[in-house]
Amino acid sequence: MIRFIFITLLVLRSMSLLATDAPQRIITLSGALTEVADALGFGKNIVAVDVTSEFPAYVKQLPKVSRNRSLSVEGLMAYRPDIVLAPEGDISKAIQSQLKAAGITLVNIKQEYSVKGALQFIRTVAAALQVPEKGQSLALQTEKEVNAELEKIRQAKRKTPGVLFIYARGAGAMSVAGKGSNMDALIQLAGGKNVVQEFSDFKPYSTEAMIRANPDAILLFDFGLSSLGGKNALLKMPGITTTKAGKNKCVIEMDGPLLVNFSVRLATAIRELNRQLVQITPQP
């Protein structure tokens, strides 16, 4: 009997330690980090997020610790987190030192924009939250869903449309996605081809570049298209009407976080972009 009680106490202590090890108050500093933490079952533990976190819907009601993507250590510590998850390179060394001095765990997580990168991202977030087994399960499920969408696209054997992605914050702040960018990767996965390959990452939009690229379709975030005045206003912009996309009015608007997060909703992003590309781009 005494032996049974002793073993029971050891088990209960072990369970208590495991519960203590799991983060109870979490701050996530990107939309991708937030949706993965939620998918791992930590939604109730997220006490604050950054401005890019919009999914799931309840996240929009959570406190924001960044403004125009700038952070302060006071803003983070006000929510008494025991862990902060941040994109690699987003947190200054000064803030890192201050968080460490306060006993707050900071985990910087790198994100690569590929299927493999998305799966590793999920596993890394899970490891940081002390649930690696859940992370492995979620990564495998995500991989299965993504592979199913990619196989559908391969089986369809449709023409590969040329796509130009424009990031817009009004007509005075427009840039286009080049090779190696997150949008370049997603366009390819969805069965398209990014028509801008002469530079990497993002560069300011120009009329000359638009005419030269001559895309079959123009892709924007929904808020970006709104900032330009909508589809009709975009189609009247200089250079647009001379392109195949302009002549055929092939403009796609999509939810920004869905397109760029490259995490648990990657299959949904591929499916939705492919669906719209198939709808608006004519086949031979």
Side-chain angles (χ1 to χ4, degrees), residues 3 69 71 124 157 237 255 272:
R3 178 181 171 82
R69 307 211 67 175
L71 294 163
T124 303
K157 296 179 180 178
M237 291 179 64
D255 176 67
E272 180 58 20

Side-chain angles (χ1 to χ4, degrees), residues 103-205:
I104 298 170
T105 300
L106 168 66
V107 181
N108 293 298
I109 299 177
K110 184 178 181 180
Q111 193 168 19
E112 294 182 2
Y113 299 109
S114 65
V115 175
K116 182 180 177 182
L119 303 179
Q120 183 56 46
F121 181 75
I122 293 168
R123 294 188 184 101
T124 303
V125 174
L129 296 177
Q130 311 293 328
V131 289
E133 296 82 6
K134 279 189 176 180
Q136 177 64 4
S137 176
L138 186 59
L140 290 174
Q141 180 62 33
T142 302
E143 183 178 34
K144 180 181 177 182
E145 294 170 357
V146 168
N147 285 341
E149 295 304 326
L150 296 179
E151 183 58 25
K152 288 178 192 173
I153 293 170
R154 278 192 290 268
Q155 291 286 338
K157 296 179 180 178
R158 296 180 66 88
K159 174 189 172 186
T160 303
V163 182
L164 176 74
F165 174 75
I166 301 176
Y167 178 84
R169 286 284 189 182
M174 299 169 62
S175 58
V176 298
K179 64 180 179 181
S181 64
N182 49 8
M183 295 311 306
D184 178 69
L186 188 62
I187 288 168
Q188 289 188 52
L189 289 171
K193 176 186 177 183
N194 181 13
V195 294
V196 179
Q197 294 294 309
E198 60 266 34
F199 59 79
S200 301
D201 207 11
F202 285 75
K203 281 194 175 181
Y205 167 90

